[in-house]
Amino acid sequence: MNSIAPGAIDTPINAEKFDDPALKKGVIELIPIGYIGKPEQVAACAVWLASKESSYVTGLTLYVDGGMTKYPGFQAGKG
């Protein structure tokens, strides 16, 4: 079994937070790649996991988060 763990993704569930410039800036500061992800980026990973190209992949959690979960600030509970 595989899974996808998305980070900060620009979806309606996050709209209130991302509509506030200060909150959005704070989130972006926790993402090493420097921007909030798009749903299409998560979808592309899901398509790959469902394809033959990943047929030998098992037990994987694919973090689609721009490096956010590895960032020290996020790990310190600031995310």
Side-chain angles (χ1 to χ4, degrees):
M1 178 184 350
N2 297 307
S3 62
I4 295 175
I9 306 298
D10 191 10
T11 62
I13 199 167
N14 293 317
E16 188 174 324
K17 181 180 255 188
F18 297 158
D19 285 345
D20 180 312
L23 291 175
K24 184 175 183 177
K25 182 178 184 256
V27 171
I28 291 172
E29 289 174 355
L30 295 173
I31 305 170
I33 204 166
Y35 65 92
I36 293 169
K38 299 182 184 322
E40 298 83 17
Q41 293 170 303
V42 178
C45 293
V47 168
W48 177 76
L49 276 178
S51 74
K52 284 192 246 181
E53 283 79 15
S54 71
S55 64
Y56 202 62
V57 176
T58 185
L60 172 79
T61 297
L62 184 56
Y63 291 89
V64 186
D65 66 358
M68 188 175 192
T69 53
K70 297 293 182 187
Y71 194 74
F74 183 81
Q75 291 180 354
K78 296 180 183 174

